[in-house]
Amino acid sequence: MAYLYLLFFVVALAVWVYALFDAVGSDADAVRLLPKPAWVVIVLLLPKLGALAWFALGRPRRARTAGPVRPPSPFPEYDHPNRARAATPQEDEEFLRRCRERAEEQRRRAREQAERRDQDGPEETRD
């Protein structure tokens, strides 16, 4: 029976602390029925009753979030609002040309490194 009382005490304490932090952290303009400082005092002085009253009467109503208005994009990487985009087709072609040149340069360097590795032969291990 003592465990039941202890459990009731811990639950009541947790609800009271949550209500107190919720009352303190709420927007003063959104609190219902009484001013925010009055709710904090009520929750502090009347722990169980004040917490229940806060949840029932004073807590601001949370705005319901609507679901997505359209299905998610199959390419979410394009949904970023500040993503860089080409202003003209010529800029887009220029960007693609530079990407191809850079890729060819990287392939050329990789081939050269592979050839040098093949010419040097396997490295000997030192003891």
Side-chain angles (χ1 to χ4, degrees), residues 94-110:
E94 173 67 19
F95 171 76
L96 292 174
R97 184 187 59 75
R98 283 186 283 140
C99 285
R100 282 190 288 271
E101 289 173 358
R102 196 171 342 137
E104 287 299 322
E105 177 65 24
Q106 290 172 351
R107 287 187 196 107
R108 185 188 59 76
R109 275 191 258 141

Side-chain angles (χ1 to χ4, degrees), residues 109-127:
R109 275 191 258 141
R111 278 193 302 267
E112 288 174 1
Q113 288 175 354
E115 288 172 2
R116 269 189 259 131
R117 245 183 286 127
D118 291 343
Q119 288 174 357
D120 292 345
E123 292 184 19
E124 296 181 19
T125 57
R126 296 182 187 173
D127 291 340

Side-chain angles (χ1 to χ4, degrees), residues 13-124:
L13 181 67
V15 169
W16 175 70
V17 169
Y18 182 79
L20 183 62
F21 278 95
D22 193 35
V24 169
S26 294
D27 185 22
D29 296 331
V31 173
R32 298 181 292 152
L33 197 60
L34 296 173
K36 180 178 170 178
W39 278 115
V40 172
V41 169
I42 289 171
V43 171
L44 272 173
L45 296 179
L46 305 168
K48 292 179 187 104
L49 187 62
L52 292 176
W54 165 253
F55 289 124
L57 304 172
R59 189 173 194 204
R61 289 201 168 96
R62 304 291 184 218
R64 293 185 184 187
T65 57
V69 291
R70 60 184 172 91
S73 170
F75 305 103
E77 61 272 10
Y78 293 119
D79 290 340
H80 300 292
N82 294 328
R83 185 177 73 86
R85 296 180 186 177
T88 63
Q90 291 79 17
E91 288 179 6
D92 197 26
E93 290 173 13
E94 173 67 19
F95 171 76
L96 292 174
R97 184 187 59 75
R98 283 186 283 140
C99 285
R100 282 190 288 271
E101 289 173 358
R102 196 171 342 137
E104 287 299 322
E105 177 65 24
Q106 290 172 351
R107 287 187 196 107
R108 185 188 59 76
R109 275 191 258 141
R111 278 193 302 267
E112 288 174 1
Q113 288 175 354
E115 288 172 2
R116 269 189 259 131
R117 245 183 286 127
D118 291 343
Q119 288 174 357
D120 292 345
E123 292 184 19
E124 296 181 19

